[in-house]
Amino acid sequence: QVKTVNKYRLDFVLYNTNNKKYVAIEVDGKNHFDETGKYLVDEHIERIKVLKRAGWNIVHTSYHYWFDKGWLDKKDPRLKKELDRIYNELDTYLF
């Protein structure tokens, strides 16, 4: 985890040294969702708004795409689809 100047923590930060672009990857865990598991809690939404106003580009991924009664195998179509989406977003922000 990486601390930002506003004392928030980001799960991962990727930095392209060639063009000085950066992006955060946030894994939205159980504590980021309400009791139904479908909607982000207000505190997390506000945190993301603050980070975006500070200039951060953020790629979100839900823990559901990685863990379902155990870690998902790389060949699992759900995980593959999520990885493809993340790589596409990273290309947009970093290159």
Side-chain angles (χ1 to χ4, degrees):
Q1 287 195 335
V2 178
K3 285 185 184 178
T4 67
V5 289
N6 15 22
K7 300 182 183 177
Y8 288 119
R9 290 181 182 260
L10 297 167
D11 292 324
F12 301 96
V13 173
L14 300 172
Y15 179 69
N16 183 333
T17 57
N18 293 324
N19 61 18
K20 312 280 192 249
K21 291 183 178 183
Y22 56 91
V23 64
I25 298 177
E26 280 290 289
V27 180
D28 297 331
K30 289 181 181 182
N31 60 331
H32 293 120
F33 293 93
D34 68 5
E35 61 279 351
T36 69
K38 293 181 181 180
Y39 303 101
L40 292 170
V41 295
D42 290 341
E43 180 181 335
H44 185 57
I45 292 170
E46 184 59 31
R47 176 180 164 272
I48 295 306
K49 286 180 181 178
V50 168
L51 289 166
K52 286 185 176 186
R53 283 193 303 266
W56 283 95
N57 292 310
I58 302 171
V59 175
H60 292 272
T61 183
S62 172
Y63 77 98
H64 292 104
Y65 292 116
W66 303 85
F67 191 87
D68 182 18
K69 299 176 188 162
W71 291 104
L72 297 178
D73 184 88
K74 286 186 212 178
K75 296 176 184 173
D76 187 294
R78 295 173 293 175
L79 182 55
K80 177 156 179 14
K81 181 178 178 182
E82 181 64 0
L83 286 171
D84 288 344
R85 184 192 66 78
I86 291 170
Y87 290 141
N88 285 331
E89 281 196 56
L90 292 176
D91 282 346
T92 299
Y93 290 128
L94 292 175
F95 301 104

